[in-house]
């Protein structure tokens, strides 16, 4: 397991090291120019955020029905990663918008729903940290609610009038832009897997520490 | 009062109340362009260079990723140290 972790880490480091070469080599977009290159990190960060929301929601569902501690550890780790990758998406997006639209932020359907989803997972983490004993069930419901938001956020650009590019952009990318995008997306997904594994390990070790504390109290 | 006089009264009333409001609502036509403005003299917003925005975006992504990895590393290290310490105390403590 440790070997697989190390091999994946080296592979991802190589992929991220080569990503700038591909991004610089990709052609400029006709209307947005250079600023469109933010897309190669912005969209993968949201893909991973959505994936993490699904992992958290699914694990939360398992927690609600089975009270599995291992599913709870996965849900907590995935919620934290959803917030981390959401931060990247929420910062890189306005940097792109400033040049492409002339403003940092627009309260339209896509941007607002994405912010709301990020706030839901932030609420999940706050609930776990300050909710006290028994908060895991309420947090699991919040995780499920967060996951239910993903389709609305994804299709918001097609359902409502918005300045944000539609979901049609990625499937219709030219190969010269599509390959660097695919490379970055795979690198982000791999990085997510690595981070999730490390974060779940942290949660399991914490559970072991709690068990040891209880054992120590029993002995004293 | 005949139908004609009623009609005249209504037309007069409409002319009195609606006429001035439509004059107020009418916007003056836009001024004709006297000349073209060269791009150098436009505001800062129009000249905003893309490169700093792109570099900031990539820098933010890297800082967030490395910051988070460092935070996991730190937290794991702290938990491992605590586990060693508590395990030592559990093994050394007399059993009730």
């Amino acid at each position: 397991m440790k070997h697989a972790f190390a091999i994946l880490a080296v592979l991802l480091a190589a992929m991220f090291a080569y990503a700038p070469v591909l991004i610089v080599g990709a052609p400029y977009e006709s209307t947005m120019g250079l600023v469109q290159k933010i897309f190669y990190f912005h969209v993968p960060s949201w893909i991973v955020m959505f994936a993490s929301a699904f992992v958290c929601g699914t694990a939360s569902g398992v927690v609600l029905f089975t009270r599995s501690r291992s599913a709870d550890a996965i849900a907590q780790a995935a919620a934290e990663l959803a917030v981390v990758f959401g931060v990247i998406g929420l910062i890189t997006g306005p940097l792109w918008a400033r040049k492409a639209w002339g403003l940092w932020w627009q309260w339209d359907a896509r941007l607002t729903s994405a912010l709301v989803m990020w706030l839901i997972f932030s609420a999940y983490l706050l609930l776990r940290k300050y909710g006290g004993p028994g908060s895991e069930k309420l947090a699991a419901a919040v995780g499920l609610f967060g996951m239910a938001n993903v389709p609305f956020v994804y299709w918001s650009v097609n359902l409502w009038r918005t300045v944000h590019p539609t979901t049609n952009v990625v499937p219709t990318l030219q190969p010269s832009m599509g390959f660097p995008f695919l490379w970055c997306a795979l690198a982000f997904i791999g990085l997510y897997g690595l981070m999730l594994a490390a974060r779940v390990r942290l949660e399991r070790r914490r559970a072991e520490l709690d068990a040891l504390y209880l054992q120590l109290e029993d002995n004293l | 009062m005949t139908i004609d006089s009623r009609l005249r009264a209504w037309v007069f009333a409409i002319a009195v109340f609606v006429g001035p409001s439509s004059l107020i609502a009418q916007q003056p036509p836009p001024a004709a362009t006297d000349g073209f403005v060269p791009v150098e003299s436009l505001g800062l917003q129009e000249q905003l260079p893309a490169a700093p925005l792109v570099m900031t975006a990539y820098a933010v992504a890297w800082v967030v990723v490395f910051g988070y990895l460092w935070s996991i590393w730190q937290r794991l290290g702290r938990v491992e140290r605590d586990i060693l310490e508590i395990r030592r105390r559990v093994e050394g403590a007399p059993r009730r």
Side-chain angles (χ1 to χ4, degrees), chain B residues 3-95:
Chain B
I3 294 172
D4 275 357
S5 60
R6 272 188 197 168
L7 188 65
R8 271 197 293 273
W10 273 110
V11 169
F12 179 74
I14 289 167
V16 166
F17 288 107
V18 178
S21 62
S22 64
L23 284 174
I24 292 164
Q26 193 178 7
Q27 295 295 314
T33 308
D34 287 322
F36 292 133
V37 182
V39 75
E40 288 81 16
S41 60
L42 280 176
L44 187 67
Q45 184 182 322
E46 297 299 321
Q47 295 181 27
L48 195 69
L53 295 169
V54 175
M55 283 190 284
T56 308
Y58 282 94
V60 164
W62 282 118
V63 166
V64 171
V65 165
F66 279 113
Y68 185 69
L69 284 172
W70 181 81
S71 127
I72 292 180
W73 185 274
Q74 288 289 308
R75 285 184 282 175
L76 252 175
R78 203 161 39 234
V79 170
E80 294 293 349
R81 275 196 303 276
D82 286 354
I83 285 176
L84 278 176
E85 169 66 18
I86 302 298
R87 191 166 280 156
R88 193 178 54 76
R89 283 166 62 185
V90 167
E91 284 161 5
R95 293 195 179 273

Side-chain angles (χ1 to χ4, degrees), chain A residues 55-127:
Chain A
V55 172
C56 178
T58 310
S60 295
V62 175
V63 170
L64 279 178
F65 288 104
T66 66
R67 297 189 179 183
S68 155
R69 293 192 75 172
S70 117
D72 188 44
I74 292 170
Q76 209 170 339
E80 201 172 281
L81 283 164
V83 170
V84 168
F85 283 99
V87 164
I88 296 175
L90 285 172
I91 294 176
T92 54
L95 287 165
W96 180 359
R98 181 70 182 91
K99 179 71 181 171
W101 308 335
L103 37 83
W104 296 103
W105 186 264
Q106 176 76 27
W107 290 103
D108 78 347
R110 166 53 76 88
L111 276 66
T112 309
S113 59
L115 177 66
V116 167
M117 192 169 79
W118 183 81
L119 288 172
I120 289 170
F121 286 102
S122 302
Y124 177 102
L125 294 182
L126 290 172
L127 198 54

Side-chain angles (χ1 to χ4, degrees), chain A residues 12-216:
Chain A
L12 286 173
M15 283 183 83
F16 275 109
Y18 192 59
V21 178
L22 290 173
I23 292 165
V24 168
Y28 281 27
E29 200 274 333
S30 62
T31 54
M32 286 181 275
L34 175 66
V35 82
Q36 181 270 340
K37 290 186 185 250
I38 291 177
F39 162 85
Y40 297 104
F41 266 31
H42 173 74
V43 177
S45 69
W46 279 114
I47 289 174
V48 167
M49 202 275 192
F50 287 179
S52 204
F54 266 110
V55 172
C56 178
T58 310
S60 295
V62 175
V63 170
L64 279 178
F65 288 104
T66 66
R67 297 189 179 183
S68 155
R69 293 192 75 172
S70 117
D72 188 44
I74 292 170
Q76 209 170 339
E80 201 172 281
L81 283 164
V83 170
V84 168
F85 283 99
V87 164
I88 296 175
L90 285 172
I91 294 176
T92 54
L95 287 165
W96 180 359
R98 181 70 182 91
K99 179 71 181 171
W101 308 335
L103 37 83
W104 296 103
W105 186 264
Q106 176 76 27
W107 290 103
D108 78 347
R110 166 53 76 88
L111 276 66
T112 309
S113 59
L115 177 66
V116 167
M117 192 169 79
W118 183 81
L119 288 172
I120 289 170
F121 286 102
S122 302
Y124 177 102
L125 294 182
L126 290 172
L127 198 54
R128 293 309 300 259
K129 192 165 174 62
Y130 302 108
S135 64
E136 61 272 8
K137 281 190 92 175
L138 183 57
V142 173
L144 268 175
F145 183 63
M147 180 181 76
N149 264 279
V150 173
F152 289 100
V153 179
Y154 181 72
W155 279 300
S156 60
V157 278
N158 302 337
L159 292 172
W160 293 288
R161 269 181 75 171
T162 164
V163 285
H164 194 280
T166 66
T167 54
N168 199 38
V169 169
V170 171
T172 57
L173 277 176
Q174 299 292 317
S176 53
M177 287 178 164
F179 181 68
F181 172 75
L182 189 67
W183 182 275
C184 292
L186 286 174
F188 264 79
I189 291 166
L191 179 69
Y192 172 70
L194 207 72
M195 283 172 145
L196 186 70
R199 185 62 185 80
V200 168
R201 180 180 157 77
L202 171 63
E203 217 50 48
R204 286 187 180 145
R205 295 299 277 170
R206 276 181 175 163
E208 281 176 43
L209 182 62
D210 288 345
L212 276 172
Y213 271 121
L214 287 174
Q215 199 181 338
L216 184 66

